[in-house]
Amino acid sequence: MCGIVGYIGHRKASDVIINGLKRLEYRGYDSAGIGLLNGELNVTKCKGKVVELEKRIINSDDTSTVGIGHTRWATHGEPNDVNAHPHWDGDQNFALVHNGIIENYDALKKELTTKGHIFLGQTDTEVLAHLIQEIQKVAKCDFVTAVQMALKQVDGTFGIAIVNKNEADSIIVARKGSPLLLGIGDDEIFIASDASPIIEYTNKVVYLDDDEMAIINRDGYQVKTISNIELSKEVHELEMSVEQIEKAGYPHFMLKEIHEQKETIADCMRGRLVVSENRIVLGGISEVLDRLVNARRLIIAACGTSWHAGLVGEYLFESLAKMPVEVEYASEFRYRDPLINSDDVMLVISQSGETADTLAAVREAKSKGALVLGICNVVGSTIARETDAGIYTHAGPEIGVASTKAFTAQVTVLSMMAILLGQRRGKLNDKYASELIQEMSRIPDKVEQILKQTEAMDEISRLFTYAPNFLYLGRSYNFPVALEGALKLKEISYIHAEGYPAAEMKHGPIALIDEHMPVVVVAVTDHTNEKMISNIEEVRARKGRIIAITNEENSDVQRLAEFAITIPSTLDPLSPLLTVIPLQILSYQIAVYRKCNVDQPRNLAKSVTVE
Ligand code: F6R
C-alpha cells in the first residue's frame, strides 16, 4: 500500500528510483512522483502508473544522486497530479513522501489554515509537510528536531522519506506502522518499503521498527527513536534473488506464481516433512509447542485470502487435532473486546506480514497474554518480528496482487501443523498420520498434473468471459476454497462472484440461478460427496451452468456437470491444496480475456498497511 524508494550514493538517483518504483508498483499504482536533490530540489509527479512519471523525466538532464520516490494507493484525496507525492511544505524547501494515514490530519489542517497555510490538495501527507514547516518556524529548531516534534503530534501510521534543499545530500526517514528498510551498499544507501527494489544492488538491510527514524547522508546512516535516543541496529542478510522478482518469460506475475506452486509447496515442506520417520518438524514453533499443544483453544486471525487459508485451518485443526478453533477477520477482532487470555493461542496468517489489521490483532492478543504465532511469507516483516514464534511459508516473493502461491503455502503449513498437533495431542492414529504425511509428499507432483491442464481450461474460460455473475459452492474443506475462487475472480476480472457453503444455496442464492448463471462446484469424493451431488442436481434443475472441480474417481460429478475439470485424488484434508489451483487458472484466464490488468487490478494494493 504505497511504495517508497530513496537513494543516496554515486548512481543517477532517478534511474534507481524509477526502477525501484516499478518493482514496488504492486503496492499501489494510481499516481507516482519523484523528488531529486541537486543543489535545487526538483519534484515531478503525475497521475497514473510509474511509466507515466518515467516519460516526464526521461529526457531531463538531471544528474542528481540523491532523491526519493513514491507510488501511491490513494486514501485521502482522489488520484490526480496534485495529490501525488512528494508533497512540498508551504515554502517549497523540502518534499515528503508518505505511506500510511495521518488520522488527525483534519484537525491539524484546520489549525494550520488559521496560521496562514495554504493547501494545494486533499491529502493527509501535505498536512504533515506543513506541520513540520510550522514547527520549525515557531520552535526555531533544526530540521530533524522539527520532524521529530511533528511526528509526535500525529495520530495514525506513517512510513516517510524527506529531502530538504537546505540539508543537501541527506534523506530523513521514519516509520510507525508502515514498513521501511535501508539497503546498505558500498558508499550508497537505498531506502524502500520492501526489499524488492534494492535486491539487485545489495543484500544487506536494516529494518526500521515503529517509532524509529534514520538520518542518511553520504557518510552513512544514523538510526534513532523519534524521541531522539540513538540506536544500534542489526544488519540482516536477505535471501531473496533478482530472478524471483522477475516474470521469467510469463506474461504476468500471477501466471508465473500459479505455475511455481509445485516448487513452493515442496519448498515449504522441505526439512519439515520427514516422511521416512513419519514425523513433522516445525523448528519455528518448537520452543512454544507444549503451550500450543495444551492450549484451551486456537484463534486464527487474518484478512482476505489468508483468512480463507485460516478457514481451511479450522477444518484441519478440529478434525486432525481435535482442537477448538475460531477464525476471525483480523479487522473485526479488536473492535469487540475479544475474550482471549493466556490459555489461548492466537495464530495470525499473512503473506506480506505487514497487513495493518492483522498486526493490530497480534498486538491485541499479546496485550491480553495469549501466545501469538505467525505464518508469514515475507522474512523480517513486522508481523514475523512481533509474533512470539512462527513458521515462514518460504513461497518466495509474491508480486501479483491476487494471492495464489501464498495461499497454497499457507495451507501447507496449516496441514503440517494440524498433523503435528494431532500426533502430539494423541488424537491422530499413527496409520492415518503416516498416510497424511506420505500423501503430502506427493502433492507437488499432483499440482504439476493440474497445471498441465491449463490450456484445456481455456475453452471454459473463453465461454464464460462475459458472464456478469458467478456462484462458487463447496462443502467442508472445500467451502473455503469456494470463497477463495470467488475472491480471485472478482478481484482480477471485476465479475461479481459469491462463494457459499453448498447447502446454504437453498437459503437464498438459489434465487439467482437460471440458464445464464455459471455455478462452480468444488466436489471431490469426500464425506460430503452425496450431499454435494444433491446440490448439483438442484442447480441443474434450475438450468444453472455447472463447472465442476472434481477428482478422477468422481464419475457421478463428471457426468452431471456441463464442464468437469478433473484433478488427481488425494486425502480429504489435503484436497484444498489441489482444488484451488483450477480456480486460480480460471480467474486468470477470464481476466486476460476481459483485457484486465491481472497483476495490478483496479483499486487494489498488494499489502494493506492502513486500517
Ligand atoms: C487476495 C489478496 C488479499 C490478501 C489480504 C491479506 O488475493 O491478496 O485478500 O490476502 O490483503 O494480505 P496478507 O496475507 O499480506 O496479510
Side-chain angles (χ1 to χ4, degrees), residues 19 23 195-202 242 245-246:
N19 197 14
R23 295 234 190 262
S196 52
I198 62 168
I199 192 65
E200 60 200 90
Y201 308 106
T202 178
V242 179
I245 53 173
E246 299 199 322

Side-chain angles (χ1 to χ4, degrees), residues 303-306 349-353 355 401-403 410 487-488 491 606 608:
C303 299
T305 288
S306 298
I349 307 173
S350 175
Q351 186 285 129
S352 62
T355 300
V401 165
S403 189
Q410 290 162 348
L487 177 64
K488 284 292 87 87
E491 68 184 330
K606 181 74 183 158
V608 183

Side-chain angles (χ1 to χ4, degrees), residues 100-119:
I101 294 181
I102 308 296
E103 285 166 3
N104 56 341
Y105 86 102
D106 201 29
L108 292 168
K109 190 171 185 175
K110 284 190 184 120
E111 197 183 318
L112 289 163
T113 307
T114 62
K115 292 179 177 155
H117 287 260
I118 295 166
F119 293 92

Side-chain angles (χ1 to χ4, degrees), residues 236-252:
H236 295 261
E237 258 187 41
L238 288 171
E239 282 168 16
M240 197 192 263
S241 70
V242 179
E243 295 72 52
Q244 286 179 308
I245 53 173
E246 299 199 322
K247 284 190 202 149
Y250 285 94
H252 298 100

Side-chain angles (χ1 to χ4, degrees), residues 254 302-308 349-356 358-359 375-378 383 398 400-404 406 410 484 487-488 491-492 604-608:
M254 183 179 176
C303 299
T305 288
S306 298
W307 185 80
H308 295 155
I349 307 173
S350 175
Q351 186 285 129
S352 62
E354 302 293 347
T355 300
T358 311
L359 182 58
I375 298 177
C376 291
N377 192 36
V378 177
I383 293 174
E398 190 179 64
V401 165
S403 189
T404 51
Q410 290 162 348
E484 175 60 7
L487 177 64
K488 284 292 87 87
E491 68 184 330
I492 60 167
L604 293 178
K606 181 74 183 158
S607 163
V608 183

